[in-house]
Amino acid sequence: RDAHTGMARPHDDDPQEPLGMGEDCKICVCVRKRPLNSKEQKKKEHDAVTCLHPTATVHSAKLRVDGISKYCDHNTFKFDHAF
């Protein structure tokens, strides 16, 4: 927890406010990405999620239709806070 202190910013600091957010909003959606543990790092596993406040991007390794070529599909999601 101490390693992430100061990484999250108040929502008001983001100039591109998410849709549906306003002064009367009562729900705040936050996402925390779990870092790879030592066992996963030793296996050299792929870190599938990147968090850059206020977005989280999921990287999915996939095979093309030919069954040989590999590619990475990226899906980005926007949250009130991401760290």
Side-chain angles (χ1 to χ4, degrees):
R1 183 175 186 144
D2 294 333
H4 298 290
T5 302
M7 291 179 76
R9 297 179 298 160
H11 181 69
D12 297 334
D13 288 352
D14 185 14
Q16 297 177 348
E17 196 170 49
L19 295 174
M21 292 299 297
E23 291 181 23
D24 59 344
C25 184
K26 297 180 183 184
I27 297 174
C28 179
V29 179
C30 302
V31 64
R32 177 190 176 270
K33 182 221 174 277
R34 179 185 65 79
L36 293 177
N37 62 36
S38 59
K39 187 184 282 188
E40 292 167 332
Q41 289 176 346
K42 286 178 187 174
K43 290 174 154 180
K44 299 187 187 247
E45 291 191 6
H46 174 69
D47 196 358
V49 178
T50 302
C51 279
L52 296 171
H53 179 71
T55 62
T57 303
V58 179
H59 312 286
S60 303
K62 296 188 176 189
L63 286 174
R64 296 204 187 277
V65 178
D66 63 10
I68 300 170
S69 305
K70 297 178 184 177
Y71 71 100
C72 197
D73 188 30
H74 308 284
N75 294 303
T76 302
F77 303 92
K78 190 169 184 180
F79 298 95
D80 295 318
H81 299 283
F83 56 95

